[in-house]
Amino acid sequence: MKVLLVKPEFKNAFTKLSLIRTEPLELEYMSAICKRNGIEAKICDLTVRGNSLKKSLAGFRPDLVAVTANFVHIYAVRKYVKLVKDFDASILTMVGGPHAEVMPEDFYMDGLDIVCHSGGFRPFETLIAAKDLVDFANLKGICYQKEGVWYKNDRELFDVTELPYPDRSHFERYKDKYKYVTMNPCATLKTGYSCPNQCNYCFSTLLNGGKYLCREPKDVVEEIKTIPCDNIWIVDDTFYVNTAKLEEFVTLLKEEKIEKKYSLYFRADFIAAHPEHMKLLADVGVTMCAVGLEVIEDEVLEKYNKKSSVGLILEAIRVLKECNIECIGLFMVDIDAEKSYFKKLYEFIKKHELYLSTISILTPMPGTGQYEKYKDRIMTDDYRKWDFVHLTIEPTKMSKFTFCSQFYWLYVKLACLIFKKKVLSAKYIRVAISASVDYWAGAIKSIWRKS
């Protein structure tokens, strides 16, 4: 059996910036699983220029094609599945990933054979280990299609201790292609699954059935020792919230004398409450921390069940500066925001020197509390627009035209500020401004078409 593992391509105006491109970590796990079962696997990362699904099919001739996907990829998956079946109708096709886990029915499409909806990588391993003898009806964690009818099997459990270390041979081959903002090259590492918090706008809390799991620090550090890169982006939704585990992680890095640089995620309330732990992390190489600051209005934070406040946000920013850790502020503009909020947010970012911030638009992800609240105001079911920089809900305090104009103008102003402070090169600034203009023009065109 031969398995082709595919990471979809997704393009929008902002992907032109090429500030972030992550190694296909989930596919590297699957490649490692294939190896331990004596099965040949190949990764086809379509986000890397020059890679082609058509060429990979012809050159590798797989028996199974597995695609990882998120919300914005559903149209790409449909295209890939057709391409695979046109090449060889006997090839088994399957899809997994966050979207498939929470909304598997969205992938009930012609040509797709299996959708993995739970169990992490366990259904995949069961399938490849059994080769042609597996009975789909008895395989937990999947939906499968038989004679044009879809069936959904029981949930499968996910055991984080079953995971092998990722097969990073693909990363080593394409190392120069993967980066995270100023970390270039950059590998990725995952220590936790799902999220222990209950923010009602966040999709991550729904993963793994809402059950948060995290790996033991010793296992994580052992993996870090194998990673052929000095920069590592820890891509958990939040890093260790158990301070004993965090302290063990730091101690082990020191004992092993590992000298690398790390970027990770934390909540503002954790940072504000644990300045001493942030200092420990800084001492072992943490140089960047992405923080879900979201909004700078207490009443909106309460609406999101964020369990945070503007006071905590300010304290978190102070703590990170004191530790010499770059704060990457993750902001979100509420759909019911006033026009004046855009200026307020810009001034806040400028004042606190959060030059590597990102700003998104509240997007009601299916399954979340915000989706239930706003589902009657959703303007599009085209998931390609659910990339957090498109307007998907009708705003209440201003017109769609005004909202889009203010949002993309905010990005232009930030790009100019970043250029002035020499945080990124002029090339990135030109592309950022161009992307903002392109998005604004596309948004306005869409609004006029529907009016």
Side-chain angles (χ1 to χ4, degrees), residues 430-444:
R430 286 195 302 270
V431 175
I433 292 174
S434 173
S436 297
V437 172
D438 288 349
Y439 250 68
W440 178 82
I444 300 311

Side-chain angles (χ1 to χ4, degrees), residues 35-263:
K35 276 190 173 181
R36 76 179 177 190
N37 284 276
I39 290 170
E40 187 178 359
K42 173 183 172 65
I43 291 176
C44 177
D45 184 352
L46 296 174
T47 69
V48 174
R49 183 178 297 177
N51 286 343
S52 160
L53 178 55
K54 193 172 183 179
K55 289 180 181 178
S56 293
L57 289 170
F60 189 61
R61 305 197 71 83
D63 303 292
L64 167 64
V65 173
V67 185
T68 181
N70 217 320
F71 273 80
V72 294
H73 298 131
I74 191 165
Y75 291 90
V77 170
R78 186 175 287 119
K79 180 177 71 174
Y80 299 156
V81 168
K82 184 179 185 307
L83 183 61
V84 170
K85 293 298 187 179
D86 285 348
F87 175 79
D88 184 346
S90 70
I91 295 176
L92 195 65
T93 56
M94 68 186 304
V95 67
H99 188 164
E101 184 173 339
V102 179
M103 302 288 289
E105 295 82 5
D106 283 344
F107 291 96
Y108 289 2
M109 60 181 67
D110 291 340
L112 191 59
D113 298 306
I114 299 172
V115 181
C116 292
H117 66 72
S118 61
F121 302 107
R122 187 180 283 180
F124 172 74
E125 183 157 23
T126 303
L127 177 67
I128 62 169
K131 297 183 172 62
D132 298 327
L133 302 177
V134 68
D135 180 2
F136 293 166
N138 294 319
L139 181 54
K140 287 184 177 181
I142 71 163
C143 306
Y144 68 97
Q145 185 175 190
K146 183 177 180 181
E147 297 178 355
V149 179
W150 279 93
Y151 301 89
K152 185 177 182 180
N153 294 349
D154 292 340
R155 290 188 60 82
E156 177 62 286
L157 300 176
F158 175 49
D159 185 352
V160 69
T161 65
E162 292 180 352
L163 291 176
Y165 294 153
D167 171 16
R168 298 184 189 270
S169 55
H170 172 89
F171 174 75
E172 292 189 67
R173 192 177 308 118
Y174 294 96
K175 185 188 293 188
D176 64 322
K177 305 296 182 183
Y178 299 113
K179 56 186 173 179
Y180 178 65
V181 194
T182 57
M183 288 182 165
N184 187 7
C186 186
T188 52
L189 170 72
K190 197 160 181 63
T191 74
Y193 299 83
S194 191
C195 181
N197 303 294
Q198 296 299 317
C199 305
N200 60 26
Y201 60 87
C202 184
F203 193 69
S204 297
T205 61
L206 307 175
L207 301 177
N208 198 37
K211 183 180 180 181
Y212 173 66
L213 300 172
C214 67
R215 296 165 59 191
E216 290 301 317
K218 182 173 177 55
D219 184 49
V220 172
V221 173
E222 285 299 314
E223 182 182 340
I224 288 173
K225 288 163 62 177
T226 72
I227 297 177
C229 188
D230 291 333
N231 300 313
I232 299 176
W233 178 18
I234 301 175
V235 293
D236 309 329
D237 294 290
T238 186
F239 194 53
Y240 287 126
V241 292
N242 181 315
T243 54
K245 288 185 182 294
L246 191 154
E247 290 167 8
E248 182 184 354
F249 173 77
V250 169
T251 299
L252 289 168
L253 285 180
K254 288 181 176 179
E255 288 177 353
E256 295 288 347
K257 295 182 171 56
I258 298 173
E259 295 184 3
K260 294 179 185 285
K261 291 183 179 180
Y262 307 90
S263 178

Side-chain angles (χ1 to χ4, degrees), residues 14 17 19-20 180-181 288-294 296 313 317 326-332 345-360 389 407 410-411 413-415 417-418 423-424 432:
F14 285 101
L17 287 168
L19 280 175
I20 299 173
Y180 178 65
V181 194
M288 290 196 291
C289 182
V291 189
L293 305 178
E294 316 308 351
I296 49 174
I313 288 172
I317 293 170
E326 182 82 34
C327 179
I328 300 179
L330 309 179
F331 292 98
M332 181 165 57
L345 180 56
Y346 172 77
E347 294 298 335
F348 183 91
I349 291 170
K350 181 179 178 182
K351 177 180 178 180
H352 297 287
E353 301 177 323
L354 304 175
Y355 302 127
L356 294 180
S357 294
T358 66
I359 306 167
S360 61
V389 288
F407 180 76
L410 174 58
Y411 261 106
K413 286 168 46 176
L414 285 176
L417 179 63
I418 291 169
V423 178
L424 297 173

Side-chain angles (χ1 to χ4, degrees), residues 266-312:
F266 264 125
R267 284 169 53 97
D269 55 351
F270 183 92
I271 297 169
H274 299 90
E276 70 284 1
H277 287 94
M278 299 312 298
K279 180 65 169 62
L280 288 175
L281 289 168
D283 289 343
V284 293
V286 173
T287 60
M288 290 196 291
C289 182
V291 189
L293 305 178
E294 316 308 351
V295 292
I296 49 174
E297 293 179 344
D298 285 337
E299 60 273 21
V300 182
L301 288 167
E302 184 176 350
K303 183 175 79 170
Y304 292 162
N305 195 36
K306 186 68 182 176
K307 308 295 185 186
S308 186
S309 67
V310 175
L312 286 173

